[in-house]
Amino acid sequence: MSDKRVQWFKFASPGNFFALVEKLLPWLWAAAIISTVAGLYIGFFVAPVDYQQGNSYRIMFIHVPAAWMSMFIYFILAVYAFITLVWRIKMADVLAVSLAPTGALFTFAALWTGALWGRPTWGAYWVWDARLTSELLLLFLYLGYMALHAAIPDRQRASRAASLLALVGVVNLPIIYFSVKWWNTLHQGASVSVSKGASMDSRMLAAMLLLSFACWMYAIAVSLTRAQAETLDRERGATWASSLAAAQAKEPEGDVETTGEVPV
Amino acid sequence: MWRRPARCRSSSSYRANRIFRAQVSDRRGQAEVKDMSVMEFLSMGGHGPYIWGSYGVMALLMIIEARQVIARKRKALALQRSIGYGDRS
């Protein structure tokens, strides 16, 4: 019984991590592309026009997933930062560093799409509303984390300092989420709630959930690919990396194909 | 599956202009299916620049990021291949 159990800790080893990610990536990209196509089709050809906002509401199909991802990714980044600080596991820092640019991208996308949705709906691209301002602060936290990590030459000190910053920044997440309840904001409340369900047409909800799933798959695929590159950069010359490169040299040009475990 | 209406099947201009069929709704929220030209679809009832500006920038950012990380991984692998077996274990 215990022999069949997956030993998750072995994936904390860079070589095993690389091999596992290599197997996952094609599935992640396929899921991201298929759900994107399905979500866009439903969003533009099946979901009806909103009787109040007209077609501009269709920005919601990417604005809401981008905003969700910006917060989820920061939360996961903070968990890895905590693991880095407490247990000093190398792969936790690699994953945190790999998540940050993708999180920053989604935060920028949430702000950008929100501005373009705000103009026809509110009459302004930007207002110093609590939700918008706290989301902008999240973008600065991502940029600060990346800048701090890159600015300190000693990698261990860099990861500790940046992890501390990431943990301090977690306080911003409940502020973003509850800002529409705590303050009288121009930004609307949540359209999808765990307790109340969704307050929108089922076709609109389907498009939004499909594109949210696509964003998840994309974020995981891109972050893991970046983590692979980061691992290779940090472990250059290690036995597992050399074996992997030797196996690669025998194959024609293209993506990496590894089978099973590699020496660690 | 969508089929061109019978009255337009012989018109070649129809093929160029009437290719979309989309759900629209009236003010009571009742959905109906309506044929739509390419220009009508792109204008999105006057909200086209906002919608396509949002989707376009997000798609562009995601494509650039994906290409960048794949190129970085290939570069890291190529560098590792170029140095061969190192002395770390």
Side-chain angles (χ1 to χ4, degrees):
Chain A
M1 181 77 180
S2 61
D3 293 340
K4 290 181 181 176
R5 215 176 283 165
V6 179
Q7 294 176 356
W8 294 105
F9 284 113
K10 77 177 183 182
F11 297 117
S13 143
N16 292 336
F17 168 80
F18 199 102
L20 173 71
V21 171
E22 213 52 37
K23 287 177 185 170
L24 291 176
L25 279 177
W27 298 101
L28 291 167
W29 282 118
I33 291 167
I34 291 167
S35 49
T36 299
V37 171
L40 289 176
Y41 176 76
I42 295 173
F44 281 102
F45 298 104
V46 179
V49 178
D50 186 81
Y51 79 99
Q52 277 186 321
Q53 299 186 38
N55 277 303
S56 69
Y57 92 93
R58 294 186 202 277
I59 296 173
M60 173 185 76
F61 300 141
I62 50 170
H63 172 73
V64 174
W68 281 348
M69 291 309 297
S70 70
M71 291 190 284
F72 286 144
I73 290 177
Y74 194 88
F75 177 74
I76 298 165
L77 188 154
V79 169
Y80 284 130
F82 180 77
I83 294 170
T84 303
L85 274 178
V86 177
W87 291 289
R88 300 187 182 184
I89 295 174
K90 279 190 293 185
M91 283 311 297
D93 186 51
V94 168
L95 289 167
V97 166
S98 305
L99 279 168
T102 307
L105 182 148
F106 278 113
T107 312
F108 176 80
L111 290 167
W112 177 264
T113 55
L116 288 178
W117 192 8
R119 184 69 181 87
T121 312
W122 301 337
Y125 287 106
W126 179 265
V127 286
W128 291 101
D129 172 287
R131 171 61 69 85
L132 276 68
T133 309
S134 52
E135 186 74 10
L136 180 65
L137 187 61
L138 184 68
L139 179 63
F140 293 148
L141 281 166
Y142 274 119
L143 297 178
Y145 175 86
M146 289 189 284
L148 190 58
H149 211 293
I152 302 174
D154 179 19
R155 188 168 284 151
Q156 281 195 342
R157 283 185 58 211
S159 68
R160 263 180 271 163
S163 299
L164 196 62
L165 175 68
L167 284 177
V168 172
V170 169
V171 74
N172 190 40
L173 294 184
I175 294 175
I176 297 173
Y177 188 77
F178 292 110
S179 58
V180 289
K181 290 183 179 176
W182 290 346
W183 294 287
N184 187 19
T185 61
L186 191 57
H187 195 284
Q188 68 182 63
S191 300
V192 181
S193 149
V194 176
S195 55
K196 295 175 186 171
S199 56
M200 68 174 84
D201 186 280
S202 59
R203 290 160 294 183
M204 297 177 184
L205 182 67
M208 201 175 79
L209 292 181
L210 273 167
L211 288 173
S212 300
F213 180 73
C215 286
W216 263 111
M217 294 299 106
Y218 166 84
I220 296 171
V222 162
S223 304
L224 288 180
T225 308
R226 189 182 287 113
Q228 282 185 314
E230 182 75 24
T231 310
L232 275 173
D233 286 344
R234 292 188 187 197
E235 298 275 318
R236 191 170 297 137
T239 310
W240 73 267
S242 302
S243 306
L244 184 81
Q248 283 285 298
K250 292 174 189 170
E251 289 176 8
E253 284 293 315
D255 282 343
V256 190
E257 283 293 337
T258 53
T259 50
E261 293 178 25
V262 293
V264 183
Chain B
M1 182 61 75
W2 175 74
R3 292 182 67 236
R4 198 180 345 159
R7 68 181 188 281
C8 301
R9 277 183 196 152
S10 59
S11 163
S12 58
S13 66
Y14 185 89
R15 202 176 299 118
N17 297 322
R18 300 269 169 188
I19 63 164
F20 290 107
R21 188 164 242 213
Q23 295 270 5
V24 296
S25 65
D26 60 19
R27 289 190 65 80
R28 290 167 299 176
Q30 298 296 312
E32 60 171 303
V33 177
K34 184 188 171 191
D35 288 332
M36 192 182 280
S37 74
V38 178
M39 290 313 292
E40 277 174 347
F41 178 77
L42 290 177
S43 76
M44 284 277 152
H47 293 145
Y50 305 110
I51 295 171
W52 304 125
S54 299
Y55 280 83
V57 168
M58 190 154 172
L60 190 69
L61 288 174
M62 291 168 90
I63 290 167
I64 289 172
E65 190 194 21
R67 284 176 62 93
Q68 189 263 332
V69 293
I70 290 169
R72 187 182 161 191
K73 179 180 152 185
R74 285 189 175 154
K75 192 178 166 190
L77 276 167
L79 200 59
Q80 179 63 51
R81 271 199 296 272
S82 70
I83 63 168
Y85 280 89
D87 53 2
R88 290 179 62 189
S89 57

